[in-house]
Amino acid sequence: MSRIRHVRGSRLATAGIVAATAALLSTVLSPTSQADDGPTSADALGHAAAVLAGRADALGLTAAQDTEVRDVIVDDDGSQHVRYDRTYRELPVLGGDFVLHLAPDGTFRGADRATEAQVSLPTVTPKLSAPKAADLAANALRAANPGELLKKLSAKPELVVDALHGTPKLAWRTNAAAMDPLGNPVARTVLTDAGTGARIDAWDTIETAAGDGESLYGGKVPLETTSSGSSYQLKDPTRGGTYTGDAQNQTDLCLLGICLVRAPSTPFTDADNHWGTGSAGDRASAAVDAQYGTDVTWDYYKDVHGRSGIAGDGKGSYSRVHYGNKYNNAFWEDSCFCMTYGDGDGSTFGPLVSLDIAGHEMTHGVTASTAALTYSGESGGLNEATSDVFGTLVEWHAGNSADAGDYLIGEKVVRDGFGRDALRYMDKPSRDGSSADCWSTAVGDLDVHYSSGVANHFAYLLAEGSGARTVGGVRYSSPTCDGSSVSGIGRDKLGDVWYRALTVYMTSSTDYAGARTATLSAAGDLYGTDSAEYAAVGAAWSAVSVG
C-alpha cells in the first residue's frame, strides 16, 4: 500500500459550518474533476467533509464540537482514510479521535472511533482549580519517585474532556516534570476529574526503550553528511536534514511544552568526513551509531511503507548523544521532535544507541503522528510493542552483519551487571521475568514495557510461527497460550499488516481486542479475508489468548 501524501492540521467545524464547507469542497473536488491518477489528499479532505456533514449524528458530532485533521492516507486503489481529532467547546477530547474510511469515489465505507460515547457536558467550568490540579500531579510525580529529592519540579494543567475512561467528563490533564538527583528528567502525566479531584489515570511521559563512520555496535557504516567550510557536519541533507548533536553530558527539561533547561544539541563536526573510532572513548563513535540508526529507520519506513520521515512530511528529526550522567535510557520526545540517548552506567548498560533502540524510539514518533496510542493500560502496551516490532524490523532491514537482525530487544547495549542478554524477548516475553506472554484481564495493570509482551509474542508468532527454531543463528522457542500450532507468514507481511493497522485502523484507545480487529482489517485489505495471511493473523492472536 502506498502513502501518497499526508495532510495534517486542517481544521473543520461540524454541524452548520461543515455543511457549507462540504458543499463547496464537493463541488470543487468532485470525482469527475480528479486527475487520471486517482484522488489526491485534497480530494480526500473534500470527500471527508461531505461525509462529516451527512453523518454528523451517527459519528456523535454536535454543534458544540469541532474536528481537526491529523492525517490523510490515499491507497493505491484510491481508497481514502482521514483521521480526525475532536474538541468540545474548544477543549481537546481525549478519546475523541476517529478515522473515516472512504471508497475511491469518496463515498463512505465505515469509521473507526476511539469511543462511541456521546460527548456532552453540563458545564466546562471546573470545580477543581488549576493550581490544585497542578499540586495533585506534582505529588503524583513525587510518589512515583520515592526517596528522591526532585529538583525544578513544574506542573502544567490543561482542561480537557476525558472520553477514554467511561462516561465523558471534564478533567485536568497535567504534565508534571522535574529532575532527579543526578539531573536526569522524570515526567508524568496525571488525569484528574475536574469535578471531584479524583485521579482518573496517570502515566510516564518519557517513552523509553532505551561520509563513513566507525560505530560502537554496527562496524564501519556509510553516512551522508553536510560540507561546512573546511569541515563536515553530521547532518544528512538527503533524509530531511536529520542530524546528531552532543548533549555534553548535560540534561534538559523541555517535555510536553514545559521548558526549564535545554541540553546542547550542536551537530558533531569532523575534518575529514571519517567519523569515530568504534571506541566509547571517542565521543563521535556513539554519534555514528545514532545517525546510522536514524538513517536506517528512515530508509525502512520509506522503502517498505512509502513513508517519508517520522511524520510522513519529509522533515527530519535530530538526535542527541551523551545525555546526562551515566543515563540508563533513551527516549523520543515529541516537543523537540528528537531522540535522546544516554551513555549507560557501564555496568548494566553501555551507550543506548543500537539499531533496534533507534528504530524503537523513532517509531514512538510515528505512533504519535498516527494512532497516538495512549501511553497507559493496554493501549500503552501496544504503543511500546509497536516500537519493539518496528525496531526489530529496522534491524532486519539494515542487513548489517555486525548487528544482525533478531527478535531480541537491546541485546547490544546490555552488560554483565544487567543479568540477561537482552532487554526483552519477542519469542517468549516472560523470559525477562516480568513481561506477559498471554493476554489476561490483569495485563492492562502492568507497566507498559511488560504489557507489551502480548503483542510482541503475537508479532513473533505471526512472522515465524510457534515452536523451536533457529533464525539468523539465534535459537528461539515460542510456545502458544492455547496449545495450538501457528505457522508464520514472514517478517515483511508482519510489518505490512501492523503498519496498515496502526495508520488506518487503530485509535488512541485501541486495546488488545481492538488490535486484533485492526490487524484483521489490515490483513483483509492487503490479502483478502479468505487468504492464508488473514487466517494466520487470527490464529496468532488466539495463540496469545486475544480473541
Side-chain angles (χ1 to χ4, degrees):
M1 309 302 295
S2 292
R3 175 174 289 256
I4 296 174
R5 188 177 302 165
H6 293 255
V7 176
R8 306 180 68 202
S10 301
R11 191 171 183 81
L12 296 174
T14 55
I17 297 176
V18 77
T21 304
L24 174 62
L25 288 173
S26 62
T27 299
V28 176
L29 300 172
S30 63
T32 58
S33 67
Q34 293 167 5
D36 291 341
D37 59 354
T40 65
S41 294
D43 295 326
L45 286 175
H47 300 152
V51 169
L52 285 184
R55 294 179 175 270
D57 289 344
L59 293 168
L61 300 173
T62 67
Q65 300 178 38
D66 285 341
T67 57
E68 185 171 354
V69 174
R70 186 195 304 171
D71 199 17
V72 178
I73 294 176
V74 181
D75 294 337
D76 286 342
D77 68 358
S79 298
Q80 302 141 51
H81 313 275
V82 183
R83 184 182 293 272
Y84 290 92
D85 289 312
R86 193 180 345 180
T87 61
Y88 176 80
R89 296 175 66 179
E90 300 185 352
L91 300 179
V93 179
L94 308 186
D97 53 305
F98 60 95
V99 188
L100 294 183
H101 306 292
L102 310 176
D105 64 357
T107 55
F108 179 72
R109 279 182 170 169
D112 283 290
R113 298 166 59 184
T115 180
E116 300 289 331
Q118 182 66 40
V119 179
S120 179
L121 304 181
T123 180
V124 292
T125 301
K127 293 181 180 179
L128 184 75
S129 68
K132 181 60 176 176
D135 288 343
L136 292 172
N139 290 335
L141 183 61
R142 293 187 185 99
N145 295 271
E148 295 186 353
L149 181 61
L150 300 182
K151 300 175 292 184
K152 298 183 178 180
L153 195 156
S154 177
K156 182 180 179 181
E158 177 188 19
L159 199 60
V160 299
V161 176
D162 172 36
L164 281 172
H165 303 84
T167 302
K169 61 183 71 68
L170 195 65
W172 288 106
R173 177 175 59 185
T174 306
N175 301 316
M179 290 181 176
D180 69 14
L182 293 177
N184 297 315
V186 292
R188 194 160 178 83
T189 295
V190 180
L191 197 62
T192 308
D193 190 313
T196 66
R199 183 188 300 183
I200 299 170
D201 200 356
W203 57 89
D204 292 333
T205 47
I206 295 179
E207 296 176 337
T208 63
D212 60 54
E214 295 290 345
S215 67
L216 295 175
Y217 303 125
K220 187 175 183 177
V221 297
L223 298 170
E224 295 287 341
T225 62
T226 299
S227 177
S228 178
S230 60
S231 65
Y232 299 87
Q233 288 185 334
L234 196 52
K235 183 176 183 179
D236 187 344
T238 70
R239 296 179 176 88
T242 59
Y243 74 88
T244 298
D246 191 343
Q248 299 175 14
N249 298 108
Q250 299 181 42
T251 59
D252 67 49
L253 196 55
C254 188
L255 300 173
L256 301 168
I258 306 171
C259 295
L260 301 177
V261 180
R262 172 64 73 183
S265 58
T266 305
F268 278 82
T269 60
D270 188 82
D272 62 5
N273 213 21
H274 300 291
W275 305 77
T277 62
S279 166
D282 185 333
R283 295 182 74 84
S285 297
V288 170
D289 285 271
Q291 186 68 28
Y292 173 61
T294 300
D295 292 351
V296 171
T297 304
W298 179 290
D299 291 349
Y300 168 78
Y301 279 106
K302 180 69 172 177
D303 297 346
V304 178
H305 303 298
R307 186 182 190 88
S308 181
I310 289 174
D313 57 4
K315 296 179 181 179
S317 55
Y318 69 92
S319 299
R320 297 176 299 177
V321 295
H322 306 304
Y323 179 87
N325 178 25
K326 297 183 178 181
Y327 187 52
N328 278 335
N329 214 338
F331 59 90
W332 165 263
E333 187 180 340
D334 275 324
S335 63
C336 67
F337 205 66
C338 68
M339 284 81 63
T340 301
Y341 301 94
D343 288 328
D345 59 13
S347 59
T348 53
F349 296 102
L352 287 95
V353 290
S354 62
L355 265 181
D356 53 359
I357 290 178
H360 176 109
E361 298 308 336
M362 290 182 71
T363 297
H364 277 307
V366 174
T367 298
S369 297
T370 56
L373 288 158
T374 301
Y375 204 64
S376 66
E378 292 189 16
S379 299
L382 286 165
N383 189 317
E384 274 296 315
T386 296
S387 284
D388 281 350
V389 167
F390 286 115
T392 294
L393 294 176
V394 164
E395 190 178 61
W396 282 101
H397 186 71
N400 186 331
S401 60
D403 188 2
D406 53 50
Y407 293 98
L408 311 176
I409 307 299
E411 74 283 355
K412 285 289 186 179
V413 307
V414 297
R415 299 294 183 262
D416 290 344
F418 186 62
R420 302 196 306 271
D421 60 355
L423 288 171
R424 291 185 287 280
Y425 307 87
M426 297 183 72
D427 64 323
K428 188 178 181 182
S430 62
R431 289 170 62 192
D432 67 12
S434 300
S435 292
D437 292 335
C438 311
W439 183 86
S440 72
T441 55
V443 161
D445 296 326
L446 298 176
D447 179 278
V448 294
H449 297 88
Y450 303 143
S451 61
S452 65
V454 178
N456 281 342
H457 191 191
F458 158 82
Y460 175 87
L461 290 170
L462 185 61
E464 302 293 345
S466 58
R469 68 190 66 239
T470 299
V471 183
V474 179
R475 187 68 175 166
Y476 302 99
S477 183
S478 189
T480 60
C481 306
D482 61 356
S484 64
S485 178
V486 175
S487 297
I489 60 174
R491 292 183 297 274
D492 292 347
K493 290 180 178 179
L494 160 66
D496 289 343
V497 167
W498 197 276
Y499 182 80
R500 184 162 179 81
L502 177 73
T503 59
V504 174
Y505 294 108
M506 291 186 184
T507 67
S508 59
S509 66
T510 297
D511 56 12
Y512 273 112
R516 177 187 173 106
T517 299
T519 50
L520 282 170
S521 294
D525 292 345
L526 294 168
Y527 310 110
T529 56
D530 58 350
S531 65
E533 291 84 356
Y534 184 90
V537 170
W541 278 123
S542 295
V544 296
S545 299
V546 177

